[in-house]
Amino acid sequence: DGGITQSPKYLFRKEGQNVTLSCEQNLNHDAMYWYRQDPGQGLRLIYYSQIVNDFQKGDIAEGYSVSREKKESFPLTVTSAQKNPTAFYLCASNYGGTDTQYFGPGTRLTVL
Amino acid sequence: KQEVTQIPAALSVPEGENLVLNCSFTDSAIYNLQWFRQDPGKGLTSLLLIQSSQREQTSGRLNASLDKSSGRSTLYIAASQPGDSATYLCAVKADKLSFGAGTTVTVRA
């Protein structure tokens, strides 16, 4: 089955820890995206990548880092510099441009 | 900066009633507008995509209209069912995809 997988589904982090969220797609999409969703707010773009080995900051990149070493993988690291990381994180991908984005099932991160 | 607003934030209707969900956006220079569905704790599923040159799109019981000049889109769901209970988000595509906060719909059996 083609699709986007995110792991883990739930993640707990202690203060001061870095954690990495996984996103994998087998849709052969060129572009991949990371969004953050908070209650009562629209999705906000953290980082995006249009091709392998290249990525750009979105609207709220501070405290986050990404890599794009493979076309199918776009992991997101939430660093200790992110002051309020508790949120629902969604990964998406598409062929780029104005093509519709396809979303993964999400990872819920909670800071203890 | 593009602002996308969805009102109301929540809506409860009896089964069988037609649903009308509203989306407004501040900058009409868009490529397209999409409606997504999100079930609790899940990812987003694309329902309809309307190109900026189109006025509406239909899929089954769903119909979405777009008035780009006034910055408005409406999603109609005919003969609502309990399975339609979810959060519906609209998103407009310009240099990036900008999302509204969503309307949470409850269809009462």
Side-chain angles (χ1 to χ4, degrees), chain B residues 11-87:
Chain B
L11 186 60
S12 178
V13 299
E15 183 176 4
E17 191 165 301
N18 296 332
L19 283 164
V20 180
L21 307 180
N22 298 303
C23 173
S24 62
F25 48 96
T26 53
D27 187 346
S28 62
I30 64 170
Y31 292 107
N32 60 49
L33 181 144
Q34 269 188 278
W35 284 93
F36 291 90
R37 170 182 171 138
Q38 185 177 31
D39 292 298
K42 306 289 186 183
L44 278 63
T45 300
S46 179
L47 297 174
L48 291 166
L49 183 149
I50 311 176
Q51 301 293 350
S52 62
S53 58
Q54 296 176 315
R55 297 285 292 183
E56 66 178 338
Q57 275 286 355
T58 299
S59 176
R61 294 186 293 114
L62 277 59
N63 174 276
S65 65
L66 174 64
D67 185 342
K68 199 173 72 163
S69 61
S70 67
R72 294 180 185 275
S73 176
T74 302
L75 177 67
Y76 300 90
I77 303 177
S80 62
Q81 303 168 358
D84 294 328
S85 298
T87 298

Side-chain angles (χ1 to χ4, degrees), chain A residues 9 33 35 37 40-45 59 88 90 97-106 108, chain B residues 31-32 34 36 38 41-46 49 51 89 93-102:
Chain A
K9 185 175 175 68
Y33 310 81
Y35 293 91
Q37 186 176 33
Q41 297 189 39
L43 276 68
R44 292 182 289 168
L45 183 64
D59 298 321
F88 191 53
L90 288 158
T98 59
D99 182 43
T100 189
Q101 292 183 17
Y102 296 85
F103 284 79
R108 184 165 299 282
Chain B
Y31 292 107
N32 60 49
Q34 269 188 278
F36 291 90
Q38 185 177 31
K42 306 289 186 183
L44 278 63
T45 300
S46 179
L49 183 149
Q51 301 293 350
L89 298 98
K93 173 66 176 175
D95 59 334
K96 64 182 177 76
L97 202 57
S98 299
F99 286 83

Side-chain angles (χ1 to χ4, degrees), chain A residues 37-74:
Chain A
Q37 186 176 33
D38 294 282
Q41 297 189 39
L43 276 68
R44 292 182 289 168
L45 183 64
I46 305 172
Y47 267 99
Y48 64 101
S49 168
Q50 294 177 308
I51 56 172
V52 175
N53 292 322
D54 188 43
F55 48 83
Q56 287 78 40
K57 293 181 179 180
D59 298 321
I60 55 165
E62 184 175 350
Y64 300 98
S65 66
V66 294
S67 63
R68 186 85 187 278
E69 298 176 0
K70 299 186 294 181
K71 186 175 183 177
E72 59 269 23
S73 178
F74 192 40

